[in-house]
């Protein structure tokens, strides 16, 4: 049993394979968090709720002397009654007040997990692999209910949470804030880890010490964004990759989010995650409900690697869906950096022909194939082929590419509309805008108002028509600007502050329809690179273009940071030309491959511009990746030396059957004085013997993990090498 409700002491114990999460309903009906950590075998840990001396200025709960909700670890605090820390929920009632008081009403425990209406979420494949709990809280005065939902994935050692707010009153109310989860820790001896960056520098690992006050990351951009990923981890001060306590929170959502930690005057650390309350109000009419997105909470006593392994397994197997979830992903070639907008049928087929000779499996035609799009200032929304560029149309091109032995894939940016487009001529009010104000363009484009049903249906139709018109096996779904000038010609004045969330709901609706309609198409998400690399998008599209930055050295940090949360199979990673188009760096082809082959491999260059030697090298790379991709795409990933700490970087993968180990080593710059470089692997079996493939050298697992492999002096900048080991059986 994953969830126990102990009637004797009103204590809830949520157990996974190795963890316990415990809270209690106290006499007043409030939910108090008692424990989250390693599994414990007790349902009687009430004693951990202690009264703490904290002065007399705090208000008493129910006027019970010295019962201070403000210093108690609450499960889902509401505002002002009488906890004055950041609330998880705040609602403006019909009388204009914003204080609510939610207390236990009932609960239900069941095997399985319900779908989250209109939102992406983790799922169970069989009912008996998870257990769920729904706790209903009620504010008697306001006549509102909140249902807190918990699901425990026992074997994946993770707990998911979300909530639903229900308006049982006769009045409409405004939800000002409804976060997905709140966890109060009764100390603040943690560091905070976040994944932050910018365009071309996504998901760098940032670790800071918690301090008094509120620290938060957020997005107000309408998308999860390059700047912050909807993820935080609180880690014990001594936490490393392999040791120490880690508490991870990841929101399955692609829009505006908030993740915050508030260290209060009593050194409690209140941790929250959910939809960003900034510029958000949801008008909830009588009888209506509001569902928050889901958060995945992971505890690991084994450092960051322990946490990453849980997220990787869960996301690969119980978040990603569809025909491609368990399939090896095709090696693709994309024409973007090869041609940009300057291509025609012949040029595309020349690249495709060379690609097929080298064993590449999928050709992806990027931006510029539709409308009058010869640069980035027009035609978004006009999703019909540009016959001047592609004579004979898509069907003929895709069929020709199929005949070369490759699948055909296509780029779209479906959420956008160019002011210079036929679609805009017909529907100038379909974009997000405010009448009378300037419509601010970014890359000469505006955003479709996905809060409107008719716009969503039109997008679905436009894409359906194209996808049916030719043998298209893959879609790259791009999004190249953020939401500004927030206003909708469709929503009424009470609903305008719902637009950002409604946009995301509209997007999810479209994605659900299209991915269900085209079940065999492989969808890859993209947003100017990795600007929307989040768990929400992964539910619909099992891979993401990790960054527009294809430089191998920059990618070391981007991919290493991404691996904190996401498995390699989700991470689109391409070999491109040198000098690199984003940073101008010249790196060896071997290094570019080593970095790209640590994810979901692709190429993004004009093969016709390479010499025979380079093409031969690529042919070997492609063959190598085909031989080992199951290890990379389905194996277990270990970070062993961080690019955030130094000049030499490494990681290794271990195959599902544990017989193959692939270890990557990178040196950024040659150093003047040679230090012994030792490469220590992780995750091997101590007593097993491993042969370094291509040599007669055999090492024990313990030797490779603890003494390590000696790397000779390498007098090469931007150097990478891949070591493959096979376990002797
Ligand atoms: C941004 C993407 O990240 C690129 O890969 C490329 O598809 C361009 N958009 C095309 O406009």
């Amino acid at each position: 049993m994953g969830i126990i409700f102990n009637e004797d002491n009103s204590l809830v114990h949520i157990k996974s394979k190795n963890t316990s999460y415990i809270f209690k309903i106290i006499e007043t009906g409030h939910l108090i968090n008692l424990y989250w950590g390693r599994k414990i075998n007790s349902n009687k840990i009430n004693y951990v709720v202690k009264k703490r001396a904290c002065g007399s200025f705090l208000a008493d709960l129910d006027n019970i002397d010295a019962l201070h909700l403000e210093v108690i670890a609450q499960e889902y605090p509401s505002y002002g009654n009488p906890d004055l820390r950041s609330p998880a929920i705040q609602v403006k009632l019909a009388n204009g007040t914003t204080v609510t008081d939610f207390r236990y009403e009932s609960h239900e425990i069941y095997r399985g997990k319900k779908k989250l209406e209109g939102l992406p979420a983790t799922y169970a494949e069989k009912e008996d692999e998870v257990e769920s709990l729904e706790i209903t809280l009620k504010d008697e005065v306001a006549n509102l209910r909140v249902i807190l939902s918990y699901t425990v994935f026992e074997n994946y050692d993770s707990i998911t949470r979300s909530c639903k707010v229900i308006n049982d009153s006769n009045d409409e109310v405004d939800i000002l804030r409804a976060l997905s989860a709140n966890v109060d820790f009764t100390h603040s001896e943690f560091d905070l880890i976040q994944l932050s960056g910018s365009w071309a520098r996504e998901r760098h690992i940032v670790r800071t010490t918690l301090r008094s006050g509120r620290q938060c990351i957020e997005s107000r951009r309408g998308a999860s964004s390059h700047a912050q990923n909807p993820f935080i981890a609180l880690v014990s001060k001594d936490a490393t990759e392999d040791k120490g306590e880690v508490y991870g929170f990841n929101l399955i959502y692609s829009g505006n989010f908030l993740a915050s930690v508030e260290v209060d005057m009593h050194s409690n650390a209140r941790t929250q995650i959910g939809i960003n309350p900034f510029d958000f109000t949801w008008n909830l009419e009588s009888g209506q409900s509001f569902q928050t997105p889901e958060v995945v909470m992971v505890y690991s006593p084994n450092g960051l690697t322990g946490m990453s392994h849980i997220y990787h397994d869960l996301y690969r197997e119980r978040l990603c869906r569809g025909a491609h979830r368990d399939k090896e992903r095709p090696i693709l070639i994309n024409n973007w950096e090869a041609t940009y907008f300057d291509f025609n049928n012949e040029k595309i087929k020349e690249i495709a022909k060379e690609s097929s000779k080298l064993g590449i499996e999928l050709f992806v035609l990027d931006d510029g194939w539709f409308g009058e799009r010869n640069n980035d200032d027009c035609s978004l929304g006009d999703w019909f082929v540009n016959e001047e560029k592609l004579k004979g149309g898509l069907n003929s091109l895709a069929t020709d590419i199929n005949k070369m032995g490759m699948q055909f894939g296509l780029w779209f940016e479906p959420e956008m509309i160019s002011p210079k487009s036929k679609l805009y001529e017909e529907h100038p009010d379909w974009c997000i805008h405010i009448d009378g104000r300037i419509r601010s363009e970014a890359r000469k484009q505006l955003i479709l108002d996905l809060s409107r049903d008719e716009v969503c249906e039109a997008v679905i139709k436009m894409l359906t028509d194209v996808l049916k018109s030719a043998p298209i096996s893959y879609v790259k779904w791009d999004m190249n600007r953020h939401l500004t000038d927030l206003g909708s010609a469709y929503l009424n004045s009470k609903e305008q502050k719902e637009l950002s969330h409604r946009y995301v709901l509209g997007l999810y609706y479209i994605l659900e329809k299209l991915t269900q309609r085209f079940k065999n198409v492989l969808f890859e998400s993209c947003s100017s690179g990795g600007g929307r690399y989040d768990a929400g998008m992964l539910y619909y599209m099992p891979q993401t273009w990790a960054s527009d930055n294809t430089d191998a050295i920059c990618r070391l940090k981007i991919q290493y940071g991404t691996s904190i949360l996401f498995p390699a199979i989700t991470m689109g990673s391409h070999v491109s030309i040198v000098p690199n188009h984003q940073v101008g760096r010249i790196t060896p082809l071997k290094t570019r491959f080593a970095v790209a082959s640590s994810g979901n491999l692709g190429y993004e260059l004009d093969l016709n511009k390479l010499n025979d030697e380079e093409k031969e090298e690529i042919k070997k790379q492609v063959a190598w990746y085909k031989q080992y991709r199951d290890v990379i795409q389905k194996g277990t990933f270990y970070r062993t030396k961080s690019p955030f700490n130094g000049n030499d970087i490494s990681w290794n993968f271990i195959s599902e059957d544990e017989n193959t180990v692939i270890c990557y080593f990178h040196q950024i710059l040659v150093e003047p004085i040679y230090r012994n470089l030792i490469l220590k692997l992780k995750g091997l079996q101590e007593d097993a013997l491993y042969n370094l493939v291509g040599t007669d050298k055999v090492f024990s697992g313990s030797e490779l993990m603890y003494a390590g492999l000696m790397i000779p002096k390498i007098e090469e900048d931007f150097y990478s090498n891949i070591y493959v080991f096979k376990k002797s059986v």
Side-chain angles (χ1 to χ4, degrees):
M1 278 270 282
I3 302 179
I4 295 161
F5 191 97
N6 191 340
E7 301 281 351
D8 296 344
N9 55 7
S10 301
L11 188 138
V12 177
H13 191 159
I14 302 177
K15 288 185 192 179
S16 67
K17 197 166 53 181
N18 298 302
T19 69
S20 285
Y21 184 92
I22 305 177
F23 61 91
K24 177 182 166 62
I25 303 154
I26 58 172
E27 312 76 74
T28 57
H30 292 90
L31 269 47
I32 303 304
N33 191 298
L34 297 180
Y35 177 80
W36 184 20
R38 276 180 201 267
K39 191 168 191 164
I40 52 177
N41 291 320
S42 163
N43 295 325
K44 304 182 195 125
I45 61 161
N46 292 1
Y47 57 88
V48 299
V49 190
K50 286 196 200 106
K51 281 200 176 161
R52 296 166 80 184
C54 48
S56 58
F57 58 93
L58 301 181
D60 297 330
L61 173 63
D62 290 352
N63 292 333
I64 300 169
D65 201 20
L67 181 53
H68 296 145
L69 212 47
E70 193 164 340
V71 286
I72 296 179
Q74 290 202 70
E75 200 56 17
Y76 198 71
S78 49
Y79 173 66
N81 186 14
D83 183 352
L84 297 174
R85 293 173 290 178
S86 307
I89 181 163
Q90 189 177 20
V91 183
K92 187 171 165 220
L93 305 175
N95 64 7
T97 62
T98 52
V99 172
T100 50
D101 184 11
F102 289 97
R103 303 188 185 210
Y104 173 83
E105 185 185 63
S106 62
H107 75 272
E108 190 194 348
I109 295 174
Y110 54 90
R111 292 305 301 186
K113 183 173 193 282
K114 289 183 191 160
K115 275 194 162 185
L116 246 59
E117 206 52 50
L119 285 164
T122 52
Y123 58 90
E125 229 161 42
K126 293 190 209 102
E127 265 210 349
D128 62 0
E129 66 184 29
V130 296
E131 191 150 47
S132 298
L133 160 73
E134 289 182 10
I135 294 228
T136 304
L137 310 177
K138 180 154 188 166
D139 182 319
E140 294 282 356
V141 175
N143 212 0
L144 299 176
R145 274 180 297 149
V146 171
I147 301 178
L148 305 182
S149 297
Y150 299 77
T151 293
V152 57
F153 284 81
E154 293 169 53
N155 290 330
Y156 292 93
D157 259 332
S158 45
I159 297 170
T160 63
R161 285 179 65 175
S162 67
C163 349
K164 191 186 235 178
V165 186
I166 303 163
N167 182 2
D168 295 321
S169 77
N170 295 325
D171 302 309
E172 61 182 33
V173 299
D174 283 332
I175 300 174
L176 306 177
R177 181 178 177 107
L179 300 181
S180 298
N182 177 96
V183 176
D184 283 350
F185 294 91
T186 49
H187 69 90
S188 54
E189 289 142 26
F190 289 118
D191 284 346
L192 172 66
I193 291 184
Q194 63 197 65
L195 300 175
S196 303
S198 67
W199 174 78
R201 188 174 52 82
E202 295 91 336
R203 291 170 302 285
H204 281 205
I205 303 171
V206 178
R207 180 170 179 160
T208 45
T209 299
L210 282 192
R211 53 170 173 72
S212 178
R214 234 176 117 235
Q215 40 249 274
C216 73
I217 56 160
E218 64 179 331
S219 170
R220 294 182 227 140
R221 313 187 66 87
S224 49
S225 92
H226 304 86
Q228 309 291 352
N229 205 268
F231 160 81
I232 50 171
L234 290 189
V235 306
S236 55
K237 295 274 180 198
D238 62 349
T240 61
E241 278 293 345
D242 314 297
K243 287 194 305 252
E245 293 200 291
V246 176
Y247 296 89
F249 300 81
N250 183 219
L251 191 68
I252 304 184
Y253 189 59
S254 311
N256 292 344
F257 73 92
L258 171 74
S260 72
V261 188
E262 180 180 4
V263 177
D264 67 15
M265 53 191 160
H266 308 290
S267 298
N268 300 304
R270 168 163 287 181
T271 311
Q272 302 183 322
I273 193 162
I275 292 178
N276 197 343
F278 174 83
D279 203 24
F280 166 87
T281 300
W282 193 272
N283 183 255
L284 199 64
E285 284 174 14
S286 167
Q288 283 187 344
S289 63
F290 177 81
Q291 174 65 55
T292 75
E294 176 168 291
V295 55
V296 179
M297 305 195 329
V298 169
Y299 167 77
S300 156
N302 305 315
L304 283 166
T305 300
M307 178 198 71
S308 297
H309 285 173
I310 294 172
Y311 278 118
H312 289 186
D313 291 348
L314 184 75
Y315 286 179
R316 202 169 38 208
E317 293 163 5
R318 295 294 179 271
L319 176 70
C320 291
R321 301 177 298 166
H324 293 275
R325 186 189 76 178
D326 301 327
K327 276 196 197 152
E328 289 183 350
R329 304 292 165 76
I331 301 169
L332 64 81
I333 182 143
N334 177 303
N335 73 306
W336 179 241
E337 286 199 16
T339 65
Y340 295 104
F341 294 102
D342 180 19
F343 61 82
N344 57 23
N345 240 331
E346 287 67 48
K347 207 168 188 177
I348 292 300
K349 282 200 225 164
E350 272 166 29
I351 300 176
K353 208 155 130 204
E354 277 308 308
S355 318
S356 81
K357 282 195 218 152
L358 304 186
I360 293 174
E361 299 157 313
L362 164 68
F363 185 92
V364 179
L365 182 59
D366 210 280
D367 195 355
W369 59 267
F370 53 93
E372 291 171 13
R373 186 128 164 130
N374 292 314
N375 54 47
D376 61 7
D377 72 354
C378 69
S379 298
L380 295 170
D382 294 346
W383 299 112
F384 39 83
V385 72
N386 180 335
E387 292 261 2
E388 269 174 42
K389 270 176 151 174
L390 300 176
K391 293 202 176 59
L394 279 179
N395 187 34
S396 139
L397 177 63
T399 309
D400 286 349
I401 286 179
N402 286 171
K403 281 188 196 143
M404 294 173 196
M406 281 193 297
Q407 297 177 311
F408 179 74
L410 202 57
W411 178 97
F412 291 91
E413 196 177 354
E415 299 156 65
M416 300 293 151
I417 180 165
S418 306
K420 248 163 85 184
S421 67
K422 293 206 163 50
L423 188 69
Y424 193 76
E425 276 168 29
E426 283 165 31
H427 299 287
D429 63 332
W430 272 14
C431 63
I432 289 177
H433 70 281
I434 302 169
D435 272 341
R437 290 194 186 276
I438 288 174
R439 301 176 178 198
S440 313
E441 296 170 13
R443 210 192 187 204
K444 299 279 177 238
Q445 61 198 59
L446 298 167
I447 305 194
L448 284 172
D449 179 357
L450 301 187
S451 73
R452 294 174 79 142
D453 297 347
E454 60 180 325
V455 175
C456 293
E457 296 305 335
V459 170
I460 293 168
K461 177 160 186 340
M462 288 189 284
L463 265 80
T464 298
D465 289 348
V466 180
L467 293 179
K468 279 189 172 161
S469 73
I472 297 166
S473 320
Y474 162 106
V475 165
K476 178 175 172 187
W477 185 292
D478 206 346
M479 192 247 194
N480 288 307
R481 67 157 292 178
H482 288 145
L483 280 62
T484 62
D485 307 289
L486 283 174
S488 164
Y490 171 74
L491 300 175
N492 65 37
S493 62
K494 285 186 206 156
E495 295 165 333
Q496 290 294 339
K497 284 176 104 176
E498 299 174 3
L499 178 55
S500 301
H501 182 53
R502 283 185 184 271
Y503 177 86
V504 178
L505 294 178
L507 171 65
Y508 290 155
Y509 172 80
I510 295 170
L511 289 174
E512 182 66 21
K513 282 271 176 254
L514 286 171
T515 52
Q516 291 308 315
R517 191 168 289 170
F518 297 97
K519 282 193 162 50
N520 291 319
V521 172
L522 172 60
F523 284 80
E524 176 158 350
S525 144
C526 168
S527 178
S528 289
R532 212 166 44 181
Y533 198 152
D534 58 59
M537 296 308 278
L538 276 181
Y539 178 73
Y540 304 98
M541 315 199 207
Q543 54 192 61
T544 307
W545 176 224
S547 177
D548 272 350
N549 191 336
T550 56
D551 171 62
I553 301 307
C554 294
R555 277 278 182 148
L556 293 171
K557 284 185 177 166
I558 294 170
Q559 295 183 191
Y560 201 91
T562 304
S563 80
I564 289 283
L565 207 48
F566 300 114
I569 193 169
T570 66
M571 210 185 291
S573 189
H574 299 173
V575 172
S576 63
I577 205 77
V578 287
N580 174 267
H581 287 194
Q582 292 76 41
V583 296
R585 199 181 340 256
I586 297 178
T587 52
L589 184 51
K590 187 177 170 196
T591 300
R592 282 174 271 153
F593 172 70
V595 176
S597 69
S598 301
N600 203 324
L601 177 68
Y603 289 80
E604 191 164 331
L605 39 75
D606 187 348
L607 292 168
N608 296 300
K609 294 195 176 137
L610 301 186
N611 61 35
D612 290 346
E613 208 181 308
E614 289 167 319
K615 284 190 219 167
E616 200 44 43
E617 191 174 338
I618 291 185
K619 193 171 182 183
K620 288 194 187 129
Q621 294 175 347
V622 168
W624 183 94
Y625 193 76
K626 285 181 183 168
Q627 185 180 354
Y628 292 115
R629 73 179 137 192
D630 63 319
V631 183
I632 291 150
Q633 298 184 355
K634 294 188 181 154
T636 309
F637 179 73
Y638 289 87
R639 292 177 292 267
T640 47
K641 270 204 132 189
S642 169
F644 296 96
N645 292 339
N647 190 44
D648 49 300
I649 293 115
S650 58
W651 53 69
N652 66 260
F653 292 89
I654 303 202
S655 63
E656 269 181 309
D657 64 7
E658 298 187 43
N659 289 334
T660 309
V661 180
I662 305 181
C663 174
Y664 288 78
F665 171 80
H666 316 274
Q667 167 179 279
I668 299 180
L669 294 177
V670 181
E671 289 183 338
I673 296 171
Y674 177 62
R675 294 174 290 121
N676 277 347
L677 284 180
I678 307 240
L679 180 55
K680 292 185 182 172
L681 281 72
K682 287 185 183 170
L684 280 61
Q685 291 165 8
E686 286 187 351
D687 297 330
L689 294 177
Y690 296 87
N691 164 241
L692 177 57
V693 172
T695 73
D696 54 8
K697 290 184 187 153
V698 174
F699 304 86
S700 71
S702 53
E703 199 179 344
L704 286 173
M705 290 195 290
Y706 311 136
L709 198 68
M710 176 75 86
I711 308 280
K713 179 168 188 183
I714 296 150
E715 292 183 322
E716 224 182 284
D717 288 343
F718 315 133
Y719 167 91
S720 291
N721 199 13
I722 308 176
Y723 301 85
V724 180
F725 296 90
K726 285 275 181 194
K727 194 168 89 181
S728 318
V729 273

